[in-house]
Amino acid sequence: MGLAIAQARLGEQAHEVPIGAVLLDPSGAVLASGFNQPISANDPTAHAEIVVLREASKQAGNYRLPGTTLVVTVEPCLMCAGALVNARVARVVYGAREPKWGAMESLLRLETLSLNHHIEVISGVREKECGDLMRAFFRTRRE
């Protein structure tokens, strides 16, 4: 999670919503890392999770990434959850819940859907730290 938090801080420095992600191979080695980039990329799909999946897929030469683990600072949204299922990611480890958009456990529970692939979900890892990053970012936006 430390690497994902470091990516979130890079995103914050780039004036993006501070969400960072890291994709690990089955042995735990980093395949790709990234942060939210929809503003700078003019791309509404450039969430941290999608950025990481795109990079890892290019490196692997395959859109499927079985056995991998995504570590992300905030609970993935519905778009990202769909991409994770399509990529066959094995597990998602996230920090802070996202009550308005979260598709792993908050707004929607991914495990309750009848999908052809199921993802193990581990939540609350360094939750306060991840949540504090988001709260601080949006607090400065409101000032």
Side-chain angles (χ1 to χ4, degrees):
M1 185 61 76
L3 294 174
I5 291 170
Q7 286 294 313
R9 291 187 191 286
L10 290 174
E12 182 178 38
Q13 291 171 6
H15 306 289
E16 298 278 0
V17 175
I19 299 175
V22 177
L23 191 70
L24 307 173
D25 74 10
S27 72
V30 174
L31 290 173
S33 61
F35 55 85
N36 263 20
Q37 299 174 34
I39 298 167
S40 58
N42 293 313
D43 179 355
T45 68
H47 290 194
E49 300 93 328
I50 303 298
V51 168
V52 166
L53 289 176
R54 286 177 179 155
E55 179 60 32
S57 294
K58 283 180 192 173
Q59 290 180 27
N62 193 339
Y63 73 100
R64 294 219 169 138
L65 302 163
T68 57
T69 299
L70 178 81
V71 180
V72 62
T73 57
V74 176
E75 181 179 6
C77 71
L78 186 56
M79 174 186 70
C80 292
L84 294 164
V85 169
N86 284 323
R88 305 299 192 265
V89 170
R91 76 195 48 76
V92 171
V93 177
Y94 73 86
R97 285 186 178 250
E98 175 42 83
K100 293 181 181 178
W101 297 97
M104 295 285 133
E105 300 177 309
S106 296
L107 177 67
L108 171 74
R109 293 188 69 83
L110 188 65
E111 67 186 26
T112 65
L113 301 178
S114 297
L115 300 173
N116 61 339
H117 176 71
H118 296 280
I119 298 173
E120 176 187 0
V121 176
I122 300 167
S123 60
V125 177
R126 294 174 71 173
E127 182 175 14
K128 182 178 180 335
E129 188 175 359
C130 294
D132 286 348
L133 272 171
M134 294 289 285
R135 284 185 287 278
F137 176 82
F138 285 110
R139 188 172 27 252
T140 62
R141 292 282 189 245
R142 291 185 202 111
E143 293 175 351

